Amino acid sequence: MAEVAKRERRRAARAPGAARAVDTAFFVFGGVAAVWLATLLLQESLHWRMIWFSLVFWAVLAYLVLPRLHRILTRVYLPDYFIGRARTSDGLLGDPVNVALLGTEDQLHATMRRAGWTRADEVDLKSSWRIIHSTLTKRSYHEAPVSPLFVFGRQQDVAYQQEVDGNPGKRHHIRFWRCPPDWVLPGGARVDWLAAGTYDRAVGLSLFTLQITHKIEEDIDRERDYVLASVRSAEPDIEVRVIRDFATGYHSRNGGGDTISTDGDLPVVDLRRVSTDPADRVPEPTDSRDRRPAPTTFGAVLVFCRGLASLAFAAALATDGSPLGTAVAQQGLRSLLPAAAAVVAAFGLTEIAMAWFIYRGGNRARVLTMSLSALAIVVQFVNVLSGGPGISFATNLLGLALDILLILALSSERARTYARRRDALTATEPRAP
């Protein structure tokens, strides 16, 4: 029994290297395929009757192609360790870390609540739609979500904000990350939390990805000092010491391309004497890497819809009364219809099952699904190179786009991290005797 356990541990230790290589291949392949898709969409939008399609081209370029290219490049030139900056989900350097704290989570929440800050909602479909609607209509949304930034390889544990003049486009906001156990700052200081506070001054386009985003105030020290002043007004007895010139490098622009300037000082706020009450207690937060990410859900939905489409196609094949079944029967292939319909139906049912496993965080289902989509993309590309019909709306542009979207979603950092952690959790669960 002990020998079996040892073999399982050795196999688990070897797996991550191979898994990373496979994921890296799909990650790069998805980026290249996305560039091809953007080129095809640009060609479609150049026709006068399709000029409106330039909006689709912009959306694909801003939210799929450029983020993936940035993610690939930043893996090459950005160091994979803490340098005093958060990172965006695209891998770009985000806002500088400009506040550190000592204390429990209850003390953090108590202090921010008493200082007049509002906890931001988590980013989901409901909150995303609400922030878009509030921004367009200029209606107040005090709990508006903030975009995810990453430190320690995970997004913020909690964020707080203060809306300005009832306009969700302008706000004070600060993100907090819990430090790993026994982690120390460069220089040896120990803290419990790191934070990044900035001021949103307007809504605009990102310089690096062309996405719609908030633009921040250049002088981030002003926002850091504002946070400290609000906290001190609520808790006059807290102690603050400053680490001078903590972070002075990599401070030119943030992930949205906004110019930033700072003196690099890092105040360490000691909240350990702050009193708490039951209202300040919150459930233990889950690691953001264990929350089902939107790309995983999106990929599962795409596979599920593909399965439903296959079942509909199988039904059309099996029904002589349908246009498709009649057309096949007229070619003298009526005897093949039941077998063909059965094969297509089996494929559709398999796709639906795969969608469920992907949604649940199954890594094998994720990799197999990406493999099938990659094969379909390569076949179409080779067909075009061999003189076949070009890819357009008249051929299979929609099908190609869905395959590329599927690979982009399931090969994303958040999707693969979620699947790996779910697999690791399953592997450590005790097996029934």
Side-chain angles (χ1 to χ4, degrees), residues 345-395:
F347 178 78
L349 292 174
T350 302
E351 288 273 86
I352 291 175
M354 294 285 282
W356 171 249
F357 288 125
I358 291 171
Y359 183 76
R360 296 282 295 171
N363 196 47
R364 292 181 180 178
R366 180 182 68 91
V367 172
L368 178 57
T369 299
M370 289 192 296
S371 299
L372 294 175
S373 290
L375 179 61
I377 294 169
V378 170
V379 167
Q380 293 183 75
F381 183 73
V382 171
N383 183 54
V384 172
L385 288 183
S386 302
I391 304 295
S392 65
F393 279 114
T395 55

Side-chain angles (χ1 to χ4, degrees), residues 13-328:
R14 291 193 299 268
R20 281 194 295 270
V22 170
D23 276 325
T24 298
F26 279 119
F27 191 84
V28 175
F29 179 85
V32 175
V35 172
W36 184 33
L37 176 61
T39 303
L40 295 173
L41 295 178
L42 178 61
Q43 292 173 354
E44 290 291 323
S45 65
L46 292 178
H47 300 93
W48 283 111
R49 293 182 179 181
M50 297 289 292
I51 193 65
W52 61 270
F53 205 70
S54 57
L55 292 176
V56 178
F57 167 72
W58 163 77
V60 170
L61 182 68
Y63 289 93
L64 297 179
V65 178
L66 292 179
R68 179 54 60 96
L69 294 180
H70 282 305
R71 195 67 171 158
I72 294 172
L73 294 174
T74 52
R75 283 188 173 190
V76 176
Y77 70 78
L78 277 185
D80 189 22
Y81 51 81
F82 179 77
I83 57 173
R85 293 285 295 273
R87 298 195 190 196
T88 69
S89 56
D90 305 325
L92 297 168
L93 288 178
D95 298 339
V97 170
N98 54 6
V99 179
L101 304 97
L102 292 164
T104 66
E105 184 171 4
D106 289 347
Q107 289 171 323
L108 170 64
H109 289 298
T111 301
M112 297 303 290
R113 181 176 59 83
R114 294 167 190 170
W117 291 78
T118 302
R119 185 171 178 174
D121 288 340
E122 296 287 344
V123 177
D124 54 28
L125 290 177
K126 181 179 179 180
S127 62
S128 298
W129 166 248
R130 188 177 174 188
I131 184 62
I132 293 173
H133 181 264
S134 300
T135 301
L136 293 177
T137 60
K138 295 186 178 181
R139 293 184 178 180
S140 176
Y141 183 9
H142 292 289
E143 305 85 8
V146 299
S147 59
L149 290 181
F150 295 78
V151 175
F152 308 123
R154 55 183 169 80
Q155 72 180 63
Q156 66 271 3
D157 294 287
V158 65
Y160 277 88
Q161 67 167 20
Q162 287 181 345
E163 200 172 77
V164 176
D165 299 328
N167 181 1
K170 296 182 179 181
R171 58 180 176 175
H172 305 276
H173 66 301
I174 182 169
R175 299 172 175 88
F176 296 91
W177 293 267
R178 186 195 300 274
C179 298
D182 300 324
W183 184 83
V184 296
L185 287 166
R190 292 182 180 273
V191 296
D192 297 314
W193 299 84
L194 294 179
T198 53
Y199 177 75
D200 286 340
R201 56 180 175 80
V203 174
L205 293 181
S206 166
L207 177 65
F208 298 136
T209 64
L210 304 181
Q211 296 176 4
I212 299 174
T213 185
H214 281 95
K215 313 296 286 184
I216 69 169
E217 185 67 37
E218 177 179 349
D219 185 1
I220 63 171
D221 294 343
R222 183 182 301 177
E223 185 67 9
R224 176 197 65 195
D225 296 340
Y226 175 83
V227 172
L228 293 178
S230 67
V231 168
R232 278 174 159 164
S233 67
E235 299 287 347
D237 295 332
I238 64 171
E239 297 181 0
V240 179
R241 66 184 180 90
V242 178
I243 302 176
R244 299 293 180 187
D245 300 319
F246 169 75
T248 54
Y250 293 101
H251 287 168
S252 174
R253 296 182 182 274
N254 74 342
D258 304 329
T259 302
I260 53 178
S261 63
T262 176
D263 56 19
D265 291 348
L266 181 72
V268 180
V269 184
D270 193 340
L271 305 178
R272 290 176 293 184
R273 295 182 180 178
V274 172
S275 61
T276 63
D277 55 56
D280 302 315
R281 295 177 184 173
V282 296
E284 187 71 18
T286 58
D287 192 313
S288 63
R289 294 169 295 181
D290 292 326
R291 303 172 196 157
R292 183 178 294 105
T296 296
T297 302
F298 179 71
V301 170
L302 283 183
V303 177
F304 180 78
C305 291
R306 194 164 66 181
L308 290 181
S310 296
L311 292 180
F313 184 70
L317 278 175
T319 306
D320 285 349
S322 68
L324 179 60
T326 302
V328 173

